Amino acid sequence: MRHMKQPLAAAITGIVTVASANTLGAADGDDAALEEIRVIGTAITRGELNLNALPFAVQRFTQDDLSDAAFFSAVDLLEDRATSVSTNAAQNNRLQPDVQYRGFTASPLLGLSQGLAVYHNGVRVNEAFGDTVNWDLLPASSMETLDLVGGSNPVYGLNTIGGALVVNTRTGFSSEGGKASVTLGDYSTQDYTASYGANNGEWGFFISADAMDEDGWRDFSESEAQTLYSALSWRGAASELDVFFNYGDSNLKGNGAVPLDLLNASRSAVFTHPDQTENELMMTSVSFRHAFSDSSEISINGFYRDLETQTFNGDGSEYEECGEDDDDDNDGTEDMGGEEHPFEGFLCNDDDEPVTDKLGNRVDEDFNAINNRSSRQQESYGFTLQYLGRADTGAIGHEYVAGVDWFKGRTDFASTVEFSELTETRGTVLTGRFDADGDTNLKTQVETWSAFVSDSMALNDATTLTLSARYNNTRTQGNDPTGQRPELAGDHRFKNFNAGAGIVWQMTNTLSLYGGVQSSARTPTPVELACSHPEAPCTLPNSFLADPPLDDVRAVSTEFGIRGSWGAIDQFRLGGFVITANDDILFQTTGGVSSNEGFFQNAADTRRAGLELELAGGNEVWDWYVNYTYMQATFEDDFFSSSPNNPQSENDRLFVSAGSDIPGLPDSNLKFGAATRITDALQIGADVRYMSGVYLRGDEANVDDKTEDWSVIDVYARMNLGNKLFVETRVDNVLDEDYETFGLYGEADEVLSNIQDTSGRFLGPAMPRMWWVTVGARF
């Protein structure tokens, strides 16, 4: 079936032991146990573990859930099924979503406050430059398990403000045999996947390859991606070794929000284009574990990651015709005295001085667009070393872990600005004339040393107490290698200590109570530090100008709930959470056609508080689930938000009062679905999602309307043709609903003439009805 029931708690014990998990086998019932458990990094413990010993929420998705051939990225599964997860159409590319969990974001886009840590075989894959996450480099076909861990868990390290997403990949021991499939769909969509794994008891291997190619349902949005993954594994009597390799190559075009006039004319239209991102990744990681005894183990995990990112963004020009302002008659003359501007017919900057290209020539007014180009060469490496042990002190049993890890990341960033012209379709052309002041060069380095410890104590047969702590020491450096911008030079140090405590009480054989308090921190990223001066705003993702210090973000989360099974409900959880982030870092826009100019600032404390309900059940014929979250995400301080494109701003600012909603986050998030077996070979099902409307980015003061509430229905059917062949068909948004999941404010009249709507609202339209058909084989 497309969706199988999810356990409400991963088979992991204690706060520390949820960093990654790999299942070799499990028993049924209350005494469910796993033969193999992976903890943070690579340590492994064997033996029977209580699944109910987790003092926080964990949602696990298994290989069966991830095996849907139509899922190139696991984000599709999270969007459909995961509680408290929402995505938006900021880019309108299925491999470039903003993933939001409990109001915190993991996104491939610079400029967002990233609050989720993402691990891949124990390696944190938030990129070194901006903590971004490239979903195109995380294909679903290579994943063994996917765990979504809630809370500001200190053991997961930096950036775990709202939670962590933990990916474990397949090996020749966990995934024997092969699979291949082809998916064809609307808008020339073609997805291909193939995998095979085997072992001889001592050595094993697994390899998978994926490719996607599509025109995209938005205009000028063709994209392609290819990934390759392999694992070589060895298993000894007391030791284990895994060597993983990942390669990815993608060329993605994501043309996002559009002004209302354009949206009403055509939902597939784009404002300006192209908006192109190319990624090329090579990553190798090694995991080794040795068990000294049944109660003593050591593990080490090391990695090297190399990512090259190229961007090309065609945008409307930020420069004005010389002498043109709000009081002009738009003919190059000023009202005062009617005199012609001395640089009539050319472009000027904000100081009314003419801009020049690199040859010193003035730029005439016909250049009404720019091409922003950038390159990021990101290299990172590191290791985790840890010790796992068990001991008894009197009647209390301890399972503890202590470890250290080290991370280093380097980034070489370069960008240029090319004067351009808009075509009839609002695309840009290449001219070879580059802004004399538009070059940016930046080298950054991030280094973090950490030490962590955790102790999970069985106080009695029904109660487990877990204590954990982590110390982080981070140094972030940056400079302009050309020496032309000495203000980019910076050397910042951040030190923080975080701790957590949680308790679980097993009320009955099937129900338990859990609760705890945890803390974590996020250090400002190099991109935030290089773009943090309100008097020297940068243009994302290209130019950086100054770096006054920012404070690190410190978060405290409180979580509580009840979970287990109840009557006909196989899986049940009712819980609440409160996460407060002190000195949250926000991007304050100062302008730009699409509000992409601005600076980062410790703007205010923020708070996310919510209630979560998870229900799932089934029998031989039916499987069903219901997930619902009600969340209030608010600013906790009064502050002034910079928002010049919001028509209700005064002097380009809005006063935000404490208690205002954070833009982009829905209050209500409901997902439910069911699937049934018509015959032993045929299965059909449907998923339904409902989200309440959100405030637009740039309306932190909540002075404008939200987007409309929306709901969408997806249906699917799967047929097995014998033991090896299968066919699946899927229709998303089967009722072809028009809805928007994202919005911001911009200056449409800088590009479009005869603007009727003057609200400045740009909305990101969601995907229309689309179909896919998959044909595959197992062998």
Side-chain angles (χ1 to χ4, degrees):
M1 300 182 68
R2 185 182 178 197
H3 297 303
M4 301 298 289
K5 299 188 293 290
Q6 311 297 327
L8 295 180
I12 313 162
T13 182
I15 288 181
V16 67
T17 53
V18 189
S20 59
N22 189 16
T23 305
L24 290 183
D28 295 326
D30 299 330
D31 295 327
L34 293 183
E35 295 179 4
E36 180 176 335
I37 305 296
R38 294 191 180 192
V39 299
I40 182 73
T42 57
I44 300 171
T45 179
R46 285 184 168 82
E48 188 169 304
L49 299 173
N50 186 355
L51 298 184
N52 293 318
L54 303 172
F56 45 80
V58 177
Q59 299 175 69
R60 161 162 289 191
F61 300 92
T62 67
Q63 180 176 331
D64 288 340
D65 307 305
L66 294 162
S67 66
D68 188 331
F71 287 155
F72 185 92
S73 168
V75 172
D76 296 323
L77 181 61
L78 294 174
E79 182 181 40
D80 279 1
R81 275 299 312 267
T83 305
S84 294
V85 169
S86 61
T87 62
N88 67 41
Q91 285 296 97
N92 266 140
N93 187 301
R94 60 177 166 133
L95 298 184
Q96 292 180 296
D98 296 340
V99 176
Q100 298 162 151
Y101 172 58
R102 290 185 172 179
F104 294 90
T105 302
S107 169
L109 303 180
L110 296 174
L112 296 183
S113 181
Q114 310 280 350
L116 301 176
V118 179
Y119 284 87
H120 188 269
N121 289 330
V123 175
R124 186 173 175 270
V125 294
N126 298 75
E127 306 299 349
F129 193 51
D131 275 340
T132 54
V133 179
N134 291 296
W135 302 110
D136 52 307
L137 305 177
L138 293 170
S141 68
S142 65
M143 296 181 183
E144 177 73 19
T145 57
L146 178 68
D147 294 328
L148 186 56
V149 183
S152 306
N153 197 314
V155 176
Y156 286 99
L158 297 175
N159 218 59
T160 312
I161 304 300
L165 187 67
V166 182
V167 173
N168 243 348
T169 58
R170 302 184 186 187
T171 70
F173 289 91
S174 66
S175 300
E176 294 185 86
K179 180 180 177 181
S181 65
V182 177
T183 298
L184 303 177
D186 268 341
Y187 304 99
S188 301
T189 298
Q190 302 174 61
D191 290 357
Y192 305 91
T193 183
S195 63
Y196 186 77
N199 74 83
N200 64 4
E202 182 179 11
W203 290 92
F205 75 92
F206 183 86
I207 188 169
S208 66
D210 297 86
M212 65 83 75
D213 190 294
E214 66 179 18
D215 288 345
W217 71 270
R218 296 286 297 279
D219 298 339
F220 311 106
S221 297
E222 61 275 11
S223 298
E224 60 180 348
Q226 302 85 36
T227 64
L228 177 67
Y229 161 80
S230 65
L232 178 64
S233 306
W234 170 76
R235 300 290 183 263
S239 302
E240 298 182 1
L241 175 69
D242 292 293
V243 180
F244 304 105
F245 174 77
N246 292 82
Y247 173 80
D249 186 10
S250 63
N251 186 345
L252 309 178
K253 291 183 180 178
N255 299 299
V258 296
L260 293 182
D261 282 357
L262 196 57
L263 182 66
N264 292 334
S266 172
R267 295 186 64 82
S268 64
V270 300
F271 184 49
T272 59
H273 66 94
D275 190 344
Q276 184 173 4
T277 301
E278 298 181 61
N279 288 320
E280 186 172 10
L281 168 74
M282 294 186 67
M283 185 176 80
T284 301
S285 62
V286 179
S287 170
F288 176 75
R289 163 262 174 187
H290 177 74
F292 298 104
S293 67
D294 290 341
S295 60
S296 176
E297 302 174 359
I298 193 170
S299 69
I300 187 168
N301 186 25
F303 77 95
Y304 174 81
R305 182 178 176 89
D306 185 272
L307 174 64
E308 182 177 1
T309 300
Q310 306 280 344
T311 68
F312 185 103
N313 300 315
D315 298 307
S317 177
E318 305 303 332
Y319 299 118
E320 300 283 355
E321 298 174 21
C322 293
E324 180 180 320
D325 57 36
D326 292 340
D327 297 324
D328 283 350
D329 55 12
N330 203 31
D331 64 355
T333 64
E334 298 179 354
D335 290 347
M336 187 176 296
E339 296 179 1
E340 290 186 355
H341 194 281
F343 303 111
E344 178 188 0
F346 296 100
L347 295 179
C348 281
N349 57 27
D350 291 339
D351 296 326
D352 210 22
E353 295 293 331
V355 297
T356 59
D357 61 22
K358 290 186 175 182
L359 298 178
N361 300 315
R362 296 174 189 149
V363 182
D364 65 60
E365 62 189 27
D366 291 335
F367 288 88
N368 59 352
I370 55 175
N371 292 322
N372 290 310
R373 309 187 200 199
S374 73
S375 66
R376 277 171 274 163
Q377 185 67 50
Q378 300 178 90
E379 179 187 48
S380 58
Y381 43 90
F383 70 87
T384 299
L385 174 67
Q386 67 179 16
Y387 176 83
L388 174 67
R390 299 183 187 86
D392 295 328
T393 56
I396 299 176
H398 299 264
E399 183 165 311
Y400 59 91
V401 63
V404 296
D405 63 29
W406 172 71
F407 169 88
K408 192 166 189 175
R410 295 190 178 99
T411 302
D412 290 344
F413 175 90
S415 70
T416 60
V417 178
E418 181 184 26
F419 298 108
S420 184
E421 298 180 56
L422 291 173
T423 66
E424 291 183 357
T425 62
R426 295 175 302 284
T428 59
V429 298
L430 303 179
T431 64
R433 298 190 64 181
F434 292 88
D435 190 341
D437 298 321
D439 287 5
T440 300
N441 293 276
L442 178 64
K443 285 183 177 289
T444 68
Q445 180 173 286
V446 180
E447 184 174 15
T448 299
W449 283 96
S450 302
F452 56 89
V453 63
S454 177
D455 187 5
S456 185
M457 295 170 278
L459 305 181
N460 52 50
D461 291 341
T463 309
T464 302
L465 172 68
T466 302
L467 303 177
S468 62
R470 184 184 185 100
Y471 172 77
N472 301 304
N473 189 322
T474 299
R475 183 181 184 183
T476 302
Q477 299 170 283
N479 68 84
D480 179 358
T482 68
Q484 296 181 3
R485 294 186 177 179
E487 66 271 17
L488 285 178
D491 192 341
H492 309 270
R493 293 181 180 271
F494 303 93
K495 300 177 182 180
N496 51 71
F497 176 82
N498 303 293
I503 193 166
V504 175
W505 175 45
Q506 190 72 38
M507 300 168 53
T508 68
N509 289 334
T510 60
L511 289 175
S512 63
L513 293 174
Y514 67 92
V517 179
Q518 305 177 87
S519 65
S520 188
R522 181 173 86 83
T523 60
T525 65
V527 65
E528 290 169 336
L529 290 167
C531 177
S532 57
H533 201 300
E535 301 302 323
C538 62
T539 302
L540 294 176
N542 281 37
S543 62
F544 308 108
L545 299 175
D547 63 342
L550 295 171
D551 295 328
D552 52 358
V553 180
R554 296 174 181 265
V556 176
S557 68
T558 302
E559 187 164 353
F560 53 89
I562 182 172
R563 64 186 171 212
S565 60
W566 186 13
I569 302 174
D570 297 333
Q571 296 157 12
F572 162 78
R573 185 175 72 87
L574 176 63
F577 65 88
V578 179
I579 305 174
T580 300
N582 296 316
D583 296 321
D584 214 347
I585 298 175
L586 304 179
F587 182 71
Q588 297 273 45
T589 178
T590 58
V593 173
S594 56
S595 296
N596 64 330
E597 289 183 1
F599 59 96
F600 293 94
Q601 182 184 57
N602 291 111
D605 294 349
T606 59
R607 181 175 179 267
R608 282 84 165 170
L611 293 173
E612 297 174 327
L613 173 66
E614 298 176 5
L615 304 172
N619 52 40
E620 295 181 354
V621 178
W622 285 93
D623 283 311
W624 59 270
Y625 69 91
V626 177
N627 299 332
Y628 176 71
T629 302
Y630 177 77
M631 182 182 69
Q632 290 186 331
T634 56
F635 296 106
E636 294 301 290
D637 297 316
D638 296 342
F639 71 101
F640 282 97
S641 172
S642 179
S643 187
N645 290 332
N646 189 319
Q648 300 192 52
S649 64
E650 296 183 7
N651 299 318
D652 294 341
R653 300 196 305 173
L654 292 170
F655 176 74
V656 182
S657 59
S660 297
D661 289 350
I662 300 173
L665 302 178
D667 294 336
S668 290
N669 182 339
L670 172 65
K671 303 174 184 180
F672 62 92
T676 184
R677 300 169 182 84
I678 302 300
T679 68
D680 289 342
L682 176 62
Q683 305 153 348
I684 62 172
D687 297 308
V688 180
R689 286 172 288 142
Y690 163 82
M691 301 281 174
S692 58
V694 299
Y695 286 108
L696 274 60
R697 193 177 297 169
D699 186 21
E700 285 73 17
N702 304 165
V703 294
D704 201 357
D705 293 333
K706 292 183 177 182
T707 61
E708 297 292 332
D709 298 358
W710 58 269
S711 60
V712 66
I713 302 173
D714 305 332
V715 298
Y716 55 93
R718 185 176 185 126
M719 176 174 288
N720 293 318
L721 306 176
N723 294 328
K724 296 183 177 181
L725 299 179
F726 64 89
V727 177
E728 179 177 328
T729 183
R730 178 169 127 227
V731 182
D732 285 352
N733 191 4
V734 67
L735 300 180
D736 201 21
E737 297 285 348
D738 292 342
Y739 64 100
E740 294 81 34
T741 62
F742 171 79
L744 51 76
Y745 294 88
E747 295 179 296
D749 56 0
E750 293 293 324
V751 173
L752 298 173
S753 59
N754 300 321
I755 290 293
Q756 301 297 315
D757 179 82
T758 59
S759 67
R761 291 167 68 92
F762 282 49
L763 298 180
M767 184 181 66
R769 178 170 52 227
M770 294 184 67
W771 61 266
W772 287 266
V773 174
T774 300
V775 178
R778 302 181 185 88
F779 49 90

